[in-house]
């Protein structure tokens, strides 16, 4: 072994890592067995131990996902069903256990992968003296379609296998991360979009309790979790797309994964178009792994009692409008359809309550008003509901990311969905043609990124997001003051910035039992 490599022995075998700056990285480490064949649509199994040294130079295969992918796949990476691997960045182990930060990527539960350049963990590991882990998990039809209602005596389907993958990865971290210098008793899970939604769901899953000790949920679509009956209807529609009858559901096990992702692409476009404000694939309240709707579980005090940072971005829907994506309703017609569906699904909501919400957005017939209502229904109000509930018993901090570079402002994207990601990881310019700084703003962005990283890292170390660099103190959130950190060129701590809208929405509009 030379100074450029480092072999670590873990529970399943030896793993060779490689120097990356001042830290080492191990890529493509399997945390579960391959999930093809009999394990397709089933909970993950532990990996088989290996005898030779596992060379961890390259990322493992990424989870099967649609062909019309807005997330570019980096050269050299492949798509494959044997995708349950993770990546580690860590200072050289020296006997002093370091905090661990486990990243769950987003992508509407159907896209993304842990090896995206924007998620490279080297800078966080170097700057924060932490161990960073990024995780692949099953996506789309293979991870977040629930076929359990179609199980037969000869073919068993399990629910929420994508969430079960994430739990398996956290169990691997619990059992193995100490060999890489990590402290299994100081694990912070952080994630964005569907990664944040996975996290708010995992915080209500009994089986996940104790696997992580702090949480950072960035723009979580926390209300995008659906009941078993709805999941069964979506699964039946998926079979129709494939020209399969329920009697031939077993054929799903033998189909090429490309066939399944192609059919999934149809659903991904179809469901939110027919039912605006909903996703085709998402966690399912199966009363087994996920016992209750996550927001309702928080409101009943059933979430894990751990410190939480949670927040959203000022202009969440703008990127969906820019990309012409149906994943968020951004027109007056689609927003009205979303509210009509809400009233139909919840007859206990009187029409005057829906009318009151609409009246709070005087420009709702224009794009700007429709997008504001969509933003609040999908992200901002769920953040408030969770923070209100969680802060009753556990330390909670709330933020709103408001910063946008001059180019993003000019493009009318602003602080859109996912625009905070390069600030968290410190990785700017990871897209081949990144327009972010075409009109300047890099110096300010770098400064803001440093502040965010110091807060996130302090939270991982101490459970309190104190920046310790003269930045504004971030007071915890409670229902008396609802102090919220607005992140921009200058951080501003504001009491209850969404007071008027919060009072109009109430705390039960999107609640489920």
């Amino acid at each position: 072994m030379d100074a450029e490599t480092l072999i670590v022995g873990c529970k399943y075998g030896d793993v060779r890592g490689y120097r990356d700056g001042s830290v080492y990285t191990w890529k493509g480490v399997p945390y579960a067995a391959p999930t093809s064949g009999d394990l397709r649509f089933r909970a993950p199994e532990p990996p088989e131990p290996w005898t030779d040294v596992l060379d961890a130079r390259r990322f493992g295969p990424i989870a099967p996902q649609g062909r019309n992918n807005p997330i570019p796949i980096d050269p050299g990476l492949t798509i494959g069903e044997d995708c349950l691997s993770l990546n580690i960045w860590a200072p050289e182990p020296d006997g002093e256990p370091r905090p661990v930060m486990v990243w769950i990527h987003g992508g509407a539960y159907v896209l993304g992968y842990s090896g995206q350049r924007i998620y490279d963990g080297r800078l966080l590991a170097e700057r924060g003296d932490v161990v960073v882990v990024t995780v692949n998990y099953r996506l789309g039809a293979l991870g977040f379609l629930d076929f359990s209602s179609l199980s037969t005596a000869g073919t068993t389907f399990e629910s929420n296998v994508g969430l079960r993958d994430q739990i398996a990865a956290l169990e691997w971290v619990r059992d193995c991360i100490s060999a890489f210098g990590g402290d299994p008793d100081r694990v912070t899970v952080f994630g964005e979009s569907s990664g944040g939604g996975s996290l708010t769901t995992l915080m209500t899953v009994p089986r996940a309790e104790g696997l992580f000790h702090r949480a950072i949920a960035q723009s979580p679509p926390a209300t995008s979790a659906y009941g078993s009956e709805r999941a069964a209807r979506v699964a039946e529609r998926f079979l129709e797309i494939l020209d399969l009858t329920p009697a031939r559901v077993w054929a799903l096990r033998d189909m090429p994964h490309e066939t399944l992702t192609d059919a999934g692409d149809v659903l991904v476009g179809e469901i939110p178009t027919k039912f605006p404000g909903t996703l085709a694939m998402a966690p399912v309240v199966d009363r087994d792994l996920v016992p209750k709707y996550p927001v309702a579980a928080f409101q009943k005090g059933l979430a894990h009692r751990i410190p939480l940072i949670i927040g959203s971005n000022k202009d969440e829907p703008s990127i969906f409008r820019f990309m012409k994506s149906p994943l968020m309703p951004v027109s007056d017609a689609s927003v009205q359809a979303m509210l009509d569906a809400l009233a139909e699904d919840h007859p206990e909501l009187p029409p005057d309550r829906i009318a009151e919400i609409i009246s709070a957005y005087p420009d709702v017939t224009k794009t700007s008003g429709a997008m504001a209502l969509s933003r609040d229904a999908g992200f901002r109000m769920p953040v408030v509901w969770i923070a209100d509930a969680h802060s009753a018993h556990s330390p909670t901090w709330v933020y709103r990311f408001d910063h946008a570079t001059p180019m993003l402002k000019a493009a009318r994207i602003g602080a859109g969905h996912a625009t905070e990601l390069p600030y968290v990881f410190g990785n700017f310019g990871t897209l081949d043609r990144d327009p972010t700084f075409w009109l300047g703003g890099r110096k300010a962005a770098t400064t803001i990124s440093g502040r965010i990283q110091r807060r996130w890292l302090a939270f991982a170390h101490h459970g309190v997001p104190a920046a310790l660099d003269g930045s504004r103190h971030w007071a915890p959130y409670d229902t008396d003051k609802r102090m919220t950190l607005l992140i921009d060129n200058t951080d501003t701590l504001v009491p209850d910035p969404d007071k008027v809208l919060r009072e109009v929405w109430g705390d039960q509009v999107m609640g489920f039992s």
Side-chain angles (χ1 to χ4, degrees):
M1 184 184 77
D2 56 44
E4 297 304 305
T5 64
L6 180 63
I7 295 176
V8 167
C10 70
K11 179 178 179 180
Y12 298 101
D14 291 343
V15 188
R16 179 184 291 109
Y18 291 83
R19 182 171 291 280
D20 187 5
S22 64
V23 298
Y24 286 90
T25 182
W26 296 261
K27 298 175 180 177
V29 180
Y31 67 82
T35 56
S36 55
D38 291 342
L39 286 181
R40 182 183 275 183
F41 306 116
R42 299 296 300 270
E45 298 285 346
E48 287 290 330
W50 53 86
T51 54
D52 295 334
V53 175
L54 178 72
D55 189 77
R57 182 191 295 270
R58 296 181 176 84
F59 294 113
I62 70 176
Q65 49 200 275
R67 304 183 193 208
N68 299 320
N69 194 337
I71 298 175
I73 296 175
D74 291 337
L77 296 183
T78 59
I79 292 177
E81 201 163 346
D82 182 13
C83 62
L84 300 189
S85 65
L86 49 77
N87 318 298
I88 304 160
W89 288 263
E92 184 172 358
D94 57 6
E96 185 66 31
R98 293 171 168 84
V100 182
M101 299 183 73
V102 179
W103 176 252
I104 303 177
H105 71 76
Y109 300 106
V110 297
L111 299 171
Y113 55 99
S114 65
Q116 286 176 246
R117 285 183 287 172
I118 199 169
Y119 304 144
D120 187 291
R122 178 176 69 85
L123 293 178
L124 272 180
E126 288 182 336
R127 293 170 181 174
D129 196 33
V130 296
V131 176
V132 177
V133 179
T134 64
V135 177
N136 277 349
Y137 55 96
R138 281 174 284 180
L139 301 169
L142 291 164
F144 287 94
L145 266 187
D146 181 5
F147 298 101
S148 61
S149 62
L150 300 170
S151 292
T152 67
T155 307
T156 299
F157 296 91
E158 291 181 85
S159 58
N160 290 308
V161 293
L163 288 180
R164 295 177 194 271
D165 292 344
Q166 296 167 9
I167 291 171
L170 290 169
E171 290 172 338
W172 187 98
V173 168
R174 177 196 62 198
D175 296 341
C176 301
I177 205 63
S178 59
F180 299 83
D183 185 348
D185 295 321
R186 280 190 296 168
V187 175
T188 299
V189 177
F190 63 136
E192 182 268 345
S193 192
S194 57
S198 295
L199 176 49
T200 52
T201 302
L202 290 175
M203 286 184 68
T204 70
V205 171
R207 185 179 153 193
E209 188 165 15
L211 293 177
F212 55 102
H213 314 93
R214 291 149 199 170
I216 305 173
Q218 301 170 205
S219 301
T223 53
S224 294
Y226 306 112
S228 294
E229 291 184 6
R230 189 263 195 187
R233 292 195 300 271
V234 173
E236 289 168 3
R237 173 60 188 143
F238 185 78
L239 294 187
E240 290 176 1
I241 294 169
L242 291 170
D243 290 324
L244 285 180
T245 64
R248 296 190 64 243
V249 67
W250 53 265
L252 292 176
R253 290 206 184 280
D254 301 319
M255 288 182 172
H257 63 75
E258 294 88 350
T259 302
L260 301 180
T261 52
D262 285 349
D265 278 352
V266 175
L267 268 185
V268 167
E270 180 180 285
I271 296 293
T273 300
K274 287 185 176 180
F275 308 99
T278 68
L279 299 176
M281 306 176 204
V284 174
V285 183
D286 54 12
R287 310 297 181 185
D288 174 24
L289 187 77
V290 181
K292 293 184 178 294
Y293 289 91
V295 171
F298 273 93
Q299 291 177 333
K300 295 177 187 296
L302 299 176
H304 307 328
R305 303 200 167 199
I306 59 175
L308 170 68
I309 294 174
I310 188 168
S312 62
N313 294 0
K314 183 179 180 181
D315 306 302
E316 294 279 3
S318 62
I319 197 72
F320 299 95
R321 180 196 62 188
F322 180 79
M323 297 171 62
K324 297 180 172 58
S325 167
L327 292 178
M328 280 196 80
V330 294
S331 68
D332 60 329
S334 59
V335 166
Q336 185 60 57
M338 175 183 71
L339 293 172
D340 291 343
L342 176 66
E344 182 177 343
D345 290 343
H346 299 279
E348 73 277 8
L349 287 175
D352 61 334
R353 286 291 293 114
I354 301 294
E356 185 180 4
I357 292 171
I358 294 174
S359 68
Y361 300 85
D363 295 329
V364 74
T365 58
K366 301 177 181 177
T367 299
S368 59
M371 288 174 60
L373 197 157
S374 179
R375 171 203 65 203
D376 293 346
F379 294 101
R380 189 167 294 178
M381 289 305 109
V383 163
V384 170
W385 296 332
I386 285 177
D388 280 355
H390 199 65
S391 63
H393 54 72
S394 298
T396 303
W397 290 266
V398 174
Y399 74 88
R400 193 180 77 204
F401 182 79
D402 287 6
H403 180 70
T405 65
M407 184 64 197
L408 291 182
K409 290 178 180 178
R412 301 197 327 184
I413 291 174
H417 190 66
T419 56
E420 88 286 4
L421 287 174
Y423 295 78
V424 171
F425 284 90
N427 298 325
F428 293 103
T430 59
L431 299 176
D432 290 336
R433 290 179 54 80
D434 188 345
T436 302
F437 299 114
W438 285 1
L439 297 179
R442 181 179 287 274
K443 182 177 179 181
T446 301
T447 300
I448 295 166
S449 173
R451 288 204 309 269
I452 292 174
Q453 286 186 323
R454 286 189 290 274
R455 294 189 191 279
W456 268 221
L457 289 164
F459 186 70
H461 275 273
H462 308 295
V464 178
L468 304 178
D469 62 348
S471 299
R472 180 176 294 277
H473 172 65
W474 188 356
Y477 184 97
D478 59 44
T479 52
D480 290 332
K481 295 184 177 180
R482 294 186 168 87
M483 300 302 289
T484 302
L485 188 73
L486 308 186
I487 301 173
D488 207 334
N489 288 330
T490 300
D491 288 350
T492 308
L493 199 61
V494 176
D496 205 2
D498 303 308
K499 182 176 188 297
V500 173
L501 292 170
R502 176 181 58 77
E503 290 177 343
V504 168
W505 280 90
D507 62 1
Q508 297 297 328
V509 169
M510 300 287 283
F512 300 91
S513 59

